[in-house]
Amino acid sequence: MDYQVGDIVKLKKQHPCGSKEWEILRVGMDFRLKCMGCGHQIMVARKLVEKNTKELKKKEE
């Protein structure tokens, strides 16, 4: 998959706040993701994001 800043990723497991959707803020070897539910930000390895992605919504231009 082609991940870009601003895309929304739906992951298999949900965040404790209940949301499964994350916005991509940074792309590289690690991703910085922001929870769409509560706004919490995390850094995750690219491999984990690729493995756990269920759906990818491209940002609207």
Side-chain angles (χ1 to χ4, degrees), residues 14-30:
Q14 68 182 15
H15 190 245
C17 75
S19 175
K20 287 187 176 187
E21 294 191 339
W22 297 81
E23 180 182 358
I24 299 174
L25 301 178
R26 178 179 178 273
V27 177
M29 281 304 290
D30 294 320

Side-chain angles (χ1 to χ4, degrees), residues 6 8 12 15 17 21 23-24 31-32 34-36 45:
I8 305 296
K12 291 179 184 173
H15 190 245
C17 75
E21 294 191 339
E23 180 182 358
I24 299 174
F31 282 25
R32 176 171 291 283
K34 178 176 147 191
C35 178
M36 297 299 285

